[in-house]
Structures are given as structure tokens and as C-alpha cells.
Amino acid sequence: MCANVIIAEDDEKQAELLRRYLEREGHAVTVVGDGLAALDAVRHGEPDLLVLDVMMPRADGLDVVRVLRAESREVPVLMLTARTTEDDLLLGLDLGADDYVTKPYSPRELMARVRTLLRRNRRGSGAAEAGPADADVLRVGTLVVDPTRHVVSVDGEAVECTPGEFRILSALAAEPDRVFTRQQLLAELHGFDRYISNRTVDVHVMNLRKKIEPAPRRPARLLTVFGVGYKLTDPAKAAARESS
């Protein structure tokens, strides 16, 4: 799996180490040393992955993610951070990052995260398989998820999702009304990883509700099943069941 990867890291030794590991696996690597250069590289390079340090000059990693998502750029982002509190880590995910590794990190662990993000991104946005163009389209009421084209719409209006949000929504839409535990949804995001908190899923769900619900504080589609997890349902069918 050869990919185009941008490393945004102002520590030259760390950047060189990452470059060597990535090139050893066959990836094409571009290294930049500040946040503004990272934005420029993504805008002009169409990368498959951005490995992004949080603490950088000119613009920090959180600002970079905020700008990229505001521009509707869906490049997967793996953040490198020395901030170890859960709130700091979840802030990056809330802004649209897909995963994070805390410093100091094992290069082997980081490369495993890189492979996971690249594999899942290729799976979500790869070429269409033979057969009808809409054969794999998932529909839950007026919510439509197209895994082949990586497109989401609600009531005919396009919805922009980060790769992490899209993976959770795809899993839920594939089995409407099934209740997924947070651990099951974490597996969709990262595989079974003991370092990732259940709150990661909660952050993605909160962001999805802002995008697919008319009233995010009173969700009708993406529901919480207290003590268990989450499910996706068709509000019209749910209302019909309640009235019958």
C-alpha cells in the first residue's frame, strides 16, 4: 500500500525518524516544519495521510485541523501530541482529527496506526466494484450513506463528514435499529486498542448529531440507548410504531 504522506513536525530528528520508517514501507513522504507549511502542502499535494504534530510554530496542529475541516478537506489526520490529558486529546478529535499518538511513542505503534488509517481510508474511498452504482448505498429514512463514493446526504442535502465520523455512520447505517456498544464502534475506528477511550466515540456521535439532526440536543436519528450504546433509526418509522 504505497501512499502519499505529509509529515508536519518541527523537531527535525523526529521528522527524519518518521520519514525513514514511512519510506521503508514504500510511502512517498513530504516533510514540513510548521503549521502554515502543512496547510499549503495539503492544499497542493492531495495526500493520503497527514501526520501532524500539535505543537508547531506559525500555526499549531489544532488550528491546522480546524482549517482543513472548514475547507471540507477529508485527508485523514494522525496527530502527534505531548498533551496527555483526555480533554486535550478529545479536542483534536472534536475538531476532526482521526487518531492520535502521545509522545513519547513507539515507532512501531505509530506505523501500526498509519497502516490502519490508510487501510480504512482506501476501503472507504476506493474504486467502485462491478455492479450497479448504488448497490452498496445505505438508506435509513432520508439519510443516505454511499460507502463507495464516501458521500452522505440528509433530506437530499450533502453532509460533510470526517473519515472517523463516516466510518461510525456507515457501521450504524448498515444495520438500522441495531444497538452498537461503544467498544464495537471503537473497533470500526481503530481496531481493538486499549489506549483509546470510549469518549472518542461520544465525541464523534456529538459531531454527527450536529450534522444530521434537525435538533442535535433532541436527536431523532442517532439515538443513545442508555447503558448500552448507540443506534441509527428512521424517525418516520419510529413515529409510526409509536402511534400504532
Side-chain angles (χ1 to χ4, degrees):
M1 183 189 298
C2 181
N4 177 17
V5 181
I6 293 174
I7 298 171
E9 168 64 81
D10 63 325
D11 185 317
E12 293 183 2
K13 291 184 179 179
Q14 288 290 322
E16 178 63 16
L17 178 65
L18 291 173
R19 183 187 65 78
R20 290 181 180 180
Y21 271 90
L22 286 162
E23 289 183 345
R24 189 179 301 169
E25 295 204 1
H27 303 307
V29 181
T30 300
V31 178
V32 297
D34 65 71
L36 295 185
L39 287 171
D40 188 64
V42 171
R43 288 164 176 161
H44 296 93
E46 298 184 356
D48 299 299
L49 177 66
L50 172 61
V51 180
L52 178 66
D53 187 29
V54 171
M55 302 299 293
M56 286 190 301
R58 301 182 73 196
D60 70 23
L62 296 175
D63 286 334
V64 171
V65 174
R66 185 181 290 109
V67 171
L68 291 176
R69 297 316 186 210
E71 294 178 350
S72 299
R73 298 182 188 275
E74 296 185 354
V75 55
V77 176
L78 173 62
M79 300 198 79
L80 309 177
T81 177
R83 300 174 177 177
T84 57
T85 67
E86 188 175 45
D87 287 341
D88 285 336
L89 298 175
L90 290 174
L91 175 58
L93 294 175
D94 190 26
L95 292 173
D98 296 278
D99 198 359
Y100 55 78
V101 175
T102 56
K103 296 181 178 181
Y105 53 79
S106 158
R108 291 181 61 188
E109 177 194 357
L110 185 137
M111 292 310 301
R113 300 289 186 89
V114 166
R115 286 190 292 270
T116 297
L117 281 176
L118 289 174
R119 183 167 58 248
R120 292 183 182 277
N121 192 50
R122 293 288 174 84
R123 186 184 303 161
S125 59
E129 300 291 337
D134 62 349
D136 296 326
V137 172
L138 306 170
R139 303 178 189 275
V140 184
T142 59
L143 172 70
V144 179
V145 180
D146 186 339
T148 298
R149 298 178 180 85
H150 208 276
V151 171
V152 176
S153 65
V154 176
D155 298 324
E157 297 291 330
V159 176
E160 296 290 342
C161 293
T162 69
E165 292 165 2
F166 187 86
R167 288 193 292 273
I168 285 182
L169 194 59
S170 296
L172 292 166
E175 300 185 65
D177 293 315
R178 173 188 167 184
V179 181
F180 286 78
T181 67
R182 289 174 176 82
Q183 285 298 320
Q184 288 169 330
L185 293 174
L186 276 175
E188 293 294 325
L189 283 171
H190 303 289
F192 293 101
D193 188 332
R194 65 184 182 277
Y195 298 107
I196 303 298
S197 163
N198 284 341
R199 286 185 63 196
T200 301
V201 171
D202 297 337
V203 169
H204 284 307
V205 167
M206 179 183 66
N207 290 334
L208 280 169
R209 283 174 171 161
K210 294 175 183 177
K211 298 176 179 182
I212 69 172
E213 298 280 6
R217 292 182 180 275
R218 298 187 300 277
R221 290 187 175 92
L222 183 41
L223 306 180
T224 300
V225 179
F226 292 100
V228 184
Y230 298 102
K231 70 176 181 178
L232 191 68
T233 193
D234 178 354
K237 288 184 178 179
R241 286 195 296 266
E242 290 179 1
S243 63
S244 62

